[in-house]
């Protein structure tokens, strides 16, 4: 095991991209654990940012919890609310919260993104995260399909808008990590296992320097 991140407790929360086996739920905890971090991951399909502050039951498309690199079981497919971020910070005392959110707020298939609504969503979550260090990973490329209506233009618009919204979190632009057109998907939004691996590895490389700096930051309980 590489001890680069030894002493770091990392809490990862997100939408369907961190809810199912062979998604980022597989890639990120495995690699960050390998780097020496204590990693706790929660994913709730279809969740938006404010759902992690004021819990809102989703439509039962899946929820998962993974401690470290434990084996990944089947997701909970009953309607589930994300656990409130305040309770997760209190329980796990992370040095860093990593948020994987963007696609669920991008209004794919609609004429426009409601930027006021997205602003409220994002600010609700960043305010609740408070003084705990935070890294926000925005959406990456997908493929158009009638089911979701994701387009490169809207993905770019959302990624760019989030960049100016997520402070004080450090922003990682998912569209800047991978070449446009390089992400293969199963339905337009959710990547194939191979593309999730590439995206996940790119996230790790982009965030390792910041995480290494933050491993000595006081956990939330000490602030």
């Amino acid at each position: 095991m590489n001890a680069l991140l030894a002493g770091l407790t990392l809490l990862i929360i997100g939408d369907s991209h961190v809810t199912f086996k062979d998604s980022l739920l597989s890639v990120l905890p495995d690699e960050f654990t390998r780097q020496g971090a204590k990693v706790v991951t929660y994913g709730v399909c279809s969740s938006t940012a404010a759902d992690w502050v004021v819990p809102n039951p989703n439509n039962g498309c899946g929820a998962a919890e993974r401690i470290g690199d434990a084996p990944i079981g089947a997701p909970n497919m009953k309607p589930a609310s994300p656990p409130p971020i305040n309770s997760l910070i209190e329980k796990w005392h992370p040095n860093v919260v990593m948020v994987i959110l963007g696609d669920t707020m991008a209004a794919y298939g609609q004429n426009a993104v409601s930027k006021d609504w997205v602003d409220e969503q994002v600010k609700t979550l960043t305010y609740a995260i408070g003084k705990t260090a935070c890294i926000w990973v925005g959406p990456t490329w997908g493929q158009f399909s009638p089911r979701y209506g994701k387009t490169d233009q809207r993905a770019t618009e959302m990624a760019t808008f989030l960049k100016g919204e997520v402070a004080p979190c450090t922003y990682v632009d998912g569209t800047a990590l991978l070449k446009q057109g390089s992400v293969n998907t199963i339905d337009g939004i959710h990547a194939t296992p191979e593309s999730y691996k590439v995206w996940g590895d790119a996230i790790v490389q982009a965030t390792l320097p910041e995480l290494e700096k933050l491993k000595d930051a006081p956990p939330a309980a000490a602030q």
Side-chain angles (χ1 to χ4, degrees), residues 105 113-122 158 161-162:
M105 299 180 289
V113 176
S114 173
K115 293 185 177 179
D116 287 344
W117 179 78
V118 174
D119 173 78
E120 182 180 4
Q121 288 280 321
V122 171
M158 190 63 181
F161 184 63
L162 283 175

Side-chain angles (χ1 to χ4, degrees), residues 37-54:
K38 176 182 178 181
V39 186
V40 186
T41 309
Y42 292 84
V44 178
C45 176
S46 295
S47 59
T48 64
D51 292 342
W52 293 87
V53 181
V54 181

Side-chain angles (χ1 to χ4, degrees), residues 40-144:
V40 186
T41 309
Y42 292 84
V44 178
C45 176
S46 295
S47 59
T48 64
D51 292 342
W52 293 87
V53 181
V54 181
N56 179 36
N58 73 0
N59 59 9
C61 64
E65 172 186 344
R66 189 183 187 200
I67 310 300
D69 57 358
I72 301 174
N76 173 12
M77 298 305 292
K78 297 178 182 178
S81 301
I85 187 65
N86 289 337
S87 67
L88 294 178
I89 290 174
E90 183 178 352
K91 179 177 182 179
W92 298 107
H93 309 305
N95 304 89
V96 190
V97 176
M98 182 176 290
V99 179
I100 315 285
L101 282 172
D103 275 329
T104 56
M105 299 180 289
Y108 297 128
Q110 298 181 27
N111 290 333
V113 176
S114 173
K115 293 185 177 179
D116 287 344
W117 179 78
V118 174
D119 173 78
E120 182 180 4
Q121 288 280 321
V122 171
K123 295 297 193 292
T124 297
L125 180 54
T126 56
Y127 181 82
I129 291 172
K131 295 182 179 179
T132 304
C134 171
I135 297 174
W136 192 302
V137 181
T140 194
W141 309 109
Q143 296 170 317
F144 178 79

Side-chain angles (χ1 to χ4, degrees), residues 7-28:
L8 179 83
T9 299
L10 173 62
L11 170 63
I12 302 174
I13 64 171
D15 53 24
S16 55
H17 292 304
V18 287
T19 300
F20 304 101
K21 187 176 180 181
D22 296 324
S23 70
L24 297 180
L25 179 63
S26 296
V27 183
L28 298 183

